[in-house]
Amino acid sequence: MRQDTGQISDLSKPETRRELRLKRSQISSILRRRHDHAIGQNLYRMIKSQDAGSIACYWPFDGEPDTKPIYKRLMDEGCNLVLPVISGDDDHTMQFHPWRPDMELGKNRYGIPEPPKTEPIPLSSLDMLVIPLVGYDDSGNRLGMGAGYYDRCLESLRHQATPLRVGVAYSIQKINTLVANKWDIPLHAIVNEHGCFTFVSEQPQVNFQED
């Protein structure tokens, strides 16, 4: 079975973030398409294995894996999807609103497409939250872009099993150890181009892997 080798970083979080974003941006277009397809298929399989019918997804930005191709398939099969909508203020809060392919999307302050603001969907009512990230480690710690949007909206659900918190990344974004702050919310699982890995007893348990 293939294991991610990871890497050890003695850099600060901002330095690690810059390094990993640079590595992600340097993936060739051919390899990126191949990885994105594999990640989409692995994420789809995980969603089905968990019988998740309501899912918070994301719109890819800054070189994040493009999982959009599976969204329509999920909706055709009866899944309800929501996308994040951030506050226009500086409080770094985020809510989730319903999304359909026929909706016209606007762009937030970072240029990320968002659905129109309707009645927000509580995270506690969802089965799965699919989360983009910059880096991750074997304990399920996640390094984001640094604004803390996901950590803030998940704080009240820190010890809850749902929604299942599933990170999506390329395997090159894995590092051996991330120093977690008290406000950081760990992942339940990670999906990359090699498969799906769940975090149990601070070590990743392999659910399935691709060759």
Side-chain angles (χ1 to χ4, degrees):
M1 293 189 300
R2 184 194 300 267
Q3 291 287 349
D4 301 328
T5 58
Q7 55 187 330
I8 298 174
S9 176
D10 294 324
L11 303 176
S12 67
K13 277 192 174 182
E15 290 171 327
T16 301
R17 189 176 289 115
R18 285 193 295 271
E19 181 182 276
L20 291 174
R21 288 176 67 192
L22 177 61
K23 288 184 68 173
R24 185 173 64 185
S25 72
Q26 293 174 336
I27 300 174
S28 71
S29 57
I30 293 175
L31 190 58
R32 186 179 296 273
R33 286 195 296 271
R34 186 181 306 158
H35 284 352
D36 285 354
H37 176 76
I39 288 170
Q41 294 307 304
N42 291 336
L43 179 59
Y44 177 83
R45 290 167 63 186
M46 182 171 197
I47 289 170
K48 289 302 175 180
S49 73
Q50 299 298 314
D51 197 26
S54 54
I55 307 158
C57 299
Y58 69 90
W59 204 270
F61 174 75
D62 191 53
E64 294 163 348
D66 186 357
T67 55
K68 298 195 307 296
I70 70 167
Y71 293 174
K72 185 177 186 301
R73 180 180 179 185
L74 290 170
M75 286 186 286
D76 287 345
E77 294 174 356
C79 292
N80 295 315
L81 303 187
V82 300
L83 286 174
V85 175
I86 66 170
S87 167
D89 302 323
D90 292 327
D91 56 4
H92 290 180
T93 57
M94 182 168 67
Q95 295 179 322
F96 291 84
H97 293 260
W99 174 76
R100 299 185 308 276
D102 59 350
M103 284 183 171
E104 183 175 349
L105 301 179
K107 289 189 177 180
N108 63 26
R109 62 197 298 181
Y110 303 108
I112 304 172
E114 295 179 337
K117 291 184 179 180
T118 53
E119 186 68 24
I121 305 299
L123 270 182
S124 58
S125 69
L126 300 176
D127 297 322
M128 184 178 293
L129 173 60
V130 180
I131 308 175
L133 51 88
V134 176
Y136 67 97
D137 69 11
D138 275 345
S139 297
N141 295 311
R142 167 186 172 271
L143 179 67
M145 291 290 283
Y149 286 103
Y150 281 95
D151 291 326
R152 284 181 177 86
C153 68
L154 282 167
E155 178 55 40
S156 64
L157 302 172
R158 174 185 290 271
H159 302 295
Q160 303 301 313
T162 55
L164 191 69
R165 302 187 294 268
V166 179
V168 171
Y170 301 112
S171 60
I172 63 166
Q173 295 172 249
K174 178 187 173 186
I175 65 176
N176 285 347
T177 303
L178 277 170
V179 178
N181 296 313
K182 63 180 181 180
W183 55 82
D184 291 334
I185 310 295
L187 301 167
H188 293 126
I190 188 79
V191 171
N192 62 28
E193 69 272 19
H194 300 313
C196 167
F197 305 81
T198 57
F199 299 104
V200 179
S201 300
E202 300 186 347
Q203 290 296 325
Q205 174 180 321
V206 180
N207 285 48
F208 60 79
Q209 293 183 317
E210 297 294 334
D211 294 329

